[in-house]
Amino acid sequence: MATTNVTAGLQGTVSIFGFNIANFSAIRNASSGSFAQTFSSQSDQGSAITVSFESARFGNSGEISRAFVFFDLDSISTTITALSLQVTGVSNSSSSVIPVKASAWGGNGSTTSLNNASFNDLSFSNTYASSISNWNSSGQNSFTLNNSAISDANNNGYLNVALINSTADQPGTTPSFPNNPATAGIVFKKTSAPIRLVVTHADAGYGNEVNGVAGSDINTVIGVSSANIARVIGVP
């Protein structure tokens, strides 16, 4: 097996801010966000993953932020057997984080900027790993991705991921105190500690084929049967 590190080529966040809303679902299930960011250089985003909801005399208000990252896996030419997603944190306030399947960036990476409509480009039910409840705010957070992620990576040649709050946003449960608001920060585009996939995959090699010749035909090509190899190299 071989191991290759692949940095997320596309990275960003989309947030929504709701005022005088009916309930938490009004923002959680919104078709469009309020503010989108795409990062091309290092950016420390303390509220990259956020969820909040507050009921007050003059109406309900809330906020949700989601992070989106895209990995081009075309450089991996053999079967992927394991994936680890590594994300550097920058802050944490009572937030658990989970990676889910996304369809932002045009789905296949053909769009290189996020927009407000990217807010709901994700699948809440298609989770890619168990959540991290104790988000590391000053170092690396590592998710061991599951078979769903591995299958998508092998079938598509890319992995499209959204990182969201796992206690309220992902299940659609209205957040409550004391874990409200909840935030988790991410350092985007950090050269020394990038958001990356550690990809375990089969070794590249000739296998049973040499220069286009199947293993079963090699004896014929060199004109020597396997029974006579010892004599060819001078050993009786």
Side-chain angles (χ1 to χ4, degrees):
M1 289 294 174
T3 300
T4 302
N5 296 328
V6 179
T7 299
L10 303 173
Q11 306 178 25
T13 61
V14 186
S15 306
I16 188 171
F17 310 96
F19 304 96
N20 295 320
I21 55 177
N23 48 41
F24 178 67
S25 295
I27 56 172
R28 189 259 189 182
N29 299 324
S31 59
S32 184
S34 309
F35 180 61
Q37 300 181 92
T38 302
F39 304 110
S40 57
S41 59
Q42 181 171 328
S43 181
D44 296 13
Q45 296 290 317
S47 301
I49 301 165
T50 298
V51 63
S52 70
F53 182 77
E54 183 177 356
S55 295
R57 174 184 295 183
F58 301 106
N60 301 324
S61 61
E63 176 186 355
I64 294 174
S65 293
R66 299 165 178 165
F68 294 87
V69 292
F70 183 91
F71 300 89
D72 185 344
L73 299 174
D74 280 346
S75 62
I76 309 298
S77 59
T78 58
T79 301
I80 295 169
T81 58
L83 291 168
S84 175
L85 171 59
Q86 299 179 346
V87 182
T88 299
V90 69
S91 64
N92 179 36
S93 176
S94 305
S95 183
S96 297
V97 178
I98 192 168
V100 301
K101 182 175 183 175
S103 55
W105 315 107
N108 61 0
S110 58
T111 300
T112 57
S113 295
L114 293 174
N115 54 47
N116 288 343
S118 304
F119 179 74
N120 70 341
D121 286 346
L122 75 169
S123 172
F124 294 111
S125 60
N126 195 338
T127 59
Y128 275 164
S130 298
S131 63
I132 292 179
S133 57
N134 296 312
W135 189 252
N136 188 338
S137 61
S138 59
Q140 188 182 82
N141 297 272
S142 183
F143 299 91
T144 299
L145 301 192
N146 58 27
N147 287 334
S148 178
I150 294 169
S151 177
D152 284 345
N154 279 312
N155 291 334
N156 299 330
Y158 60 81
L159 198 67
N160 200 336
V161 182
L163 292 158
I164 64 175
N165 171 275
S166 66
T167 56
D169 193 10
Q170 190 261 330
T173 303
T174 302
S176 58
F177 292 99
N179 298 325
N180 178 31
T183 63
I186 294 176
V187 183
F188 293 94
K189 291 287 185 175
K190 185 175 183 178
T191 303
S192 61
I195 299 173
R196 68 179 186 178
L197 284 178
V198 179
V199 184
T200 302
H201 55 100
D203 288 313
Y206 292 110
N208 290 325
E209 186 170 304
V210 179
N211 292 334
V213 180
S216 59
D217 294 331
I218 289 176
N219 289 338
T220 301
V221 170
I222 64 176
V224 182
S225 68
S226 58
N228 293 326
I229 290 294
R231 295 183 182 277
V232 171
I233 63 174
V235 180

